Amino acid sequence: MVLEKLGNVLKLGIKKITNAIFVDKKLIDEIIKDIQRALIEADVNVELVFALSQKIRKLAIDETIKGVDKKEQLVKLIHDEIQNILGGEKQELKLQKKTTILFLGLYGSGKTTTIAKLGFYYAKRGRKVALLGLDTQRPAAMDQLEQMAAKAKIPAFIDKEEKDPLKIIKKYEKDLEDYDLVIVDTAGRDGLNKELIKEIKDIEKKIKPTHRILVMPADIGQAAKTQAAEFQKALSIDGVIITRMDGSAKAGGALTACAETKAPVYFIGVGEKIHEIETFDPSSFISRLLGMGDLQALLEKVHSATTEKQQQRMEESMKEGKLSLLDLYSQLESMTQLGSMDKILGMIPGLGNAASKVPKAQLEKQEQKMKHWKNAIHSMTQEEIENPELLEKQTGRIARIAKGSGTTTGEIRELLKQHKLINEMMSSQSGLAEGKLDQRTLQKMAKKFGGKMRR
Ligand SMILES: Nc1nc2c(ncn2[C@@H]2O[C@H](COP(=O)(O)OP(=O)(O)O)[C@@H](O)[C@H]2O)c(=O)[nH]1
Ligand SMILES: [Mg+2]
């Protein structure tokens, strides 16, 4: 499908957000630029593209949301906004016990083909379907409907001689009473002119259709907006089917244009064959673009990628013998998700066993403390997270952070001390540089770490 490229760009953007440790301005600018280009290539209205970029940027610079929360919200925002510009919630064509659907559209839009497809679609779902041919304008129109109906194995009521659609209606009125779904083919025109409007209105008066559906080909792109609006005004259509979605670079334009005019897209045509019709659901459409089940699956990926990445980073820092406050931050963050204190111990290479030596109640108490620390780190600037020495030098900062995070200056001092301690322990162990430790050093470390925690 043509929109595949848009899907790839969105997938890449989401992956970049997912894997980033910090969602910074540079990253956001880059992602916005990619998404903009892809949306415009998919023929989406520039204004919509711009509005989406603004929303992403606004959320990205929002200081009150941090870490995984920010990533999660960004991914959700991109997903939801694209779903909105595609039409939001799925709208279903509601059939009654007896339903008549009147098809409208210009020449060559795909009416006749789509009527047969839709008949086939509903016949398979147990409806008793008949097609009624009222296109008396085109010489071969009735033959075409007859052939298509044969492919769908449903009856078509046609008259190859009669030129007055109203007479054809009268002729088959009785026969059609036996069917619970009648789909009506009408003549098109080059444009929506008075003649076409009158013809449709006359037919409508006689048939009293349940639905009036406009058929438009995807190739018209954003022009779908004007066309849908015109048909809505003149003939109060209640929905749209977009055909030729399989081949047009303007498919995105046609889809989003319909959403703008609030004309629900019920079905899309994705090929010339009788079964090549699909219901249109913005949310599953995006899932397909993103190659991901649903939003939930996407968000789960944000979480798992975050912890994997953080773990990797942590291990690297360990090897270098330096654990920054940033690493501690990452760990605290993933811990709150993973939920247990012994995870952090387990993540330190070679310290896995030490976890079992710390009593359970102790761990729970420590977890509580960790939550406070996490809040405190949330209230720090990026500069402070990267250079905690700043806090020791300028104690005013500690007071500010404590106030902002609902913690005490004592707790923050303890966090800094703890962080320093871990670093000291690590740099004093030369073995760590190679990522391995002997048994005695390990035990010493575990004791020291556990001992500190007991306070
Ligand atoms: N590739 C493709 N072609 C389609 C689709 N729907 C219709 N067509 C083609 O579009 C052309 C016009 O279709 P037709 O049903 O005759 O349009 P009408 O004049 O509105 O009745 C035909 O060649 C169809 O085969 C579609 O979903 N995909
Ligand atoms: Mg036709």
Side-chain angles (χ1 to χ4, degrees):
M1 185 161 45
V2 194
L3 294 172
E4 216 168 274
K5 192 159 171 212
L6 173 61
N8 287 338
V9 169
L10 291 176
K11 255 187 276 187
L12 190 69
I14 285 174
K15 200 168 153 200
K16 279 181 185 167
I17 294 174
T18 301
N19 289 338
I21 291 191
F22 271 111
V23 180
D24 59 9
K25 190 175 170 304
K26 191 170 150 275
L27 178 76
I28 287 297
D29 285 344
E30 187 183 306
I31 291 168
I32 288 178
K33 221 161 95 193
D34 290 346
I35 292 181
Q36 279 179 340
R37 199 179 303 137
L39 283 173
I40 286 169
E41 248 176 72
D43 194 38
V44 174
N45 182 343
V46 180
E47 275 169 43
L48 294 179
V49 175
F50 189 66
L52 172 60
S53 311
Q54 293 286 77
K55 281 185 188 162
I56 297 177
R57 193 163 278 131
K58 187 161 168 255
L59 175 58
I61 60 170
D62 186 341
E63 284 285 337
T64 63
I65 314 160
K66 287 199 167 78
V68 182
D69 289 343
K70 173 154 290 175
K71 294 195 216 177
E72 203 176 80
Q73 289 193 25
L74 275 170
V75 169
K76 194 171 177 315
L77 177 83
I78 293 172
H79 177 280
D80 291 355
E81 287 297 319
I82 301 240
Q83 176 168 337
N84 271 340
I85 63 177
L86 283 170
E89 290 298 311
K90 180 181 183 179
Q91 309 254 13
E92 232 170 306
L93 185 63
K94 293 209 171 64
L95 299 196
Q96 293 161 3
K97 251 192 182 151
K98 262 191 167 320
T99 302
T100 310
I101 306 174
L102 191 62
F103 265 53
L104 313 174
L106 302 182
Y107 277 146
S109 55
K111 283 184 301 303
T112 309
T113 314
T114 308
I115 282 166
K117 284 182 186 176
L118 197 68
F120 182 70
Y121 176 90
Y122 281 120
K124 269 199 310 194
R125 284 161 180 76
R127 289 267 166 174
K128 202 175 173 209
V129 187
L131 309 183
L132 174 64
L134 299 184
D135 182 355
T136 55
Q137 297 276 321
R138 266 193 178 172
M142 295 292 174
D143 294 318
Q144 190 197 0
L145 187 65
E146 193 174 34
Q147 286 159 16
M148 296 292 300
K151 274 187 201 154
K153 296 190 173 63
I154 46 182
F157 292 89
I158 54 166
D159 190 324
K160 293 183 188 176
E161 312 302 325
E162 183 54 62
K163 286 292 162 222
D164 181 357
L166 299 182
K167 285 194 180 145
I168 303 178
I169 297 173
K170 196 153 181 60
K171 179 173 170 185
Y172 293 121
E173 222 166 8
K174 268 248 138 4
D175 295 302
L176 291 173
E177 277 171 16
D178 293 339
Y179 296 88
D180 55 25
L181 176 61
V182 178
I183 313 179
V184 186
D185 192 15
T186 61
R189 296 291 189 280
D190 287 329
L192 181 63
N193 56 25
K194 278 201 185 107
E195 194 192 334
L196 179 60
I197 295 177
K198 182 175 183 316
E199 182 174 317
I200 302 294
K201 287 208 158 148
D202 287 345
I203 293 174
E204 204 190 345
K205 233 182 271 161
K206 265 259 173 315
I207 292 188
K208 299 193 186 63
T210 327
H211 296 290
R212 291 156 301 277
I213 303 289
L214 172 65
V215 178
M216 291 188 286
D219 357 341
I220 66 171
Q222 290 178 34
K225 192 169 153 186
T226 325
Q227 205 177 106
E230 278 175 7
F231 272 82
Q232 231 167 16
K233 193 160 162 255
L235 299 162
S236 51
I237 52 146
D238 49 46
V240 172
I241 295 180
I242 299 181
T243 61
R244 301 208 276 269
M245 280 290 292
D246 48 312
S248 172
K250 292 186 155 188
L255 278 177
T256 54
C258 288
E260 275 187 274
T261 49
K262 304 250 177 334
V265 178
Y266 292 127
F267 289 90
I268 52 176
V270 291
E272 294 194 58
K273 299 205 187 72
I274 196 79
H275 61 87
E276 287 175 320
I277 187 165
E278 295 174 2
T279 56
F280 181 66
D281 174 5
S283 107
S284 68
F285 192 77
I286 299 175
S287 300
R288 238 165 61 189
L289 281 184
L290 298 179
M292 187 75 65
D294 53 18
L295 181 60
Q296 204 48 45
L298 260 174
L299 295 181
E300 271 161 28
K301 207 165 166 220
V302 175
H303 279 284
S304 66
T306 301
T307 19
E308 251 171 59
K309 184 93 185 182
Q310 284 168 347
Q311 194 164 339
Q312 215 175 25
R313 202 195 140 90
M314 169 98 166
E315 272 162 24
E316 274 161 24
S317 303
M318 295 292 302
K319 275 188 198 151
E320 286 164 17
K322 188 176 189 303
L323 184 75
S324 71
L325 198 52
L326 172 62
D327 295 313
L328 194 61
Y329 168 90
S330 301
Q331 287 313 312
L332 296 182
E333 193 162 56
S334 55
M335 267 179 46
T336 341
Q337 290 152 30
L338 299 171
S340 92
M341 177 60 198
D342 43 13
K343 276 262 162 49
I344 194 172
L345 295 176
M347 277 174 190
I348 300 177
L351 212 64
N353 290 337
S356 57
K357 297 201 173 78
V358 187
K360 194 114 195 117
Q362 203 80 34
L363 285 176
E364 280 167 10
K365 218 169 134 194
Q366 185 67 7
E367 262 179 60
Q368 198 51 39
K369 200 189 298 183
M370 286 288 188
K371 262 192 202 139
H372 282 207
W373 286 353
K374 192 183 161 197
N375 290 343
I377 294 175
H378 264 303
S379 290
M380 293 179 191
T381 64
Q382 193 162 330
E383 194 193 14
E384 289 164 349
I385 291 175
E386 281 163 9
N387 311 294
E389 314 84 63
L390 276 176
L391 301 177
E392 280 161 50
K393 281 182 209 141
Q394 303 169 20
T395 48
R397 288 183 187 246
I398 296 184
R400 189 207 81 231
I401 294 163
K403 210 168 162 214
S405 60
T407 56
T408 63
T409 52
E411 280 175 306
I412 295 170
R413 287 218 167 79
E414 198 191 339
L415 163 67
L416 295 174
K417 217 161 153 187
Q418 195 76 270
H419 167 251
K420 219 172 173 176
L421 177 82
I422 295 173
N423 266 334
E424 271 170 22
M425 282 198 314
M426 288 192 310
S427 53
S428 71
Q429 305 304 328
S430 59
L432 259 179
E434 291 125 53
K436 55 175 195 266
L437 286 168
D438 65 56
Q439 204 55 34
R440 256 191 72 225
T441 320
L442 254 178
Q443 274 171 7
K444 240 168 74 191
M445 257 179 92
K447 220 171 136 197
K448 217 169 170 186
F449 201 64
K452 273 286 160 194
M453 281 164 36
R454 220 157 277 148
R455 296 198 301 145

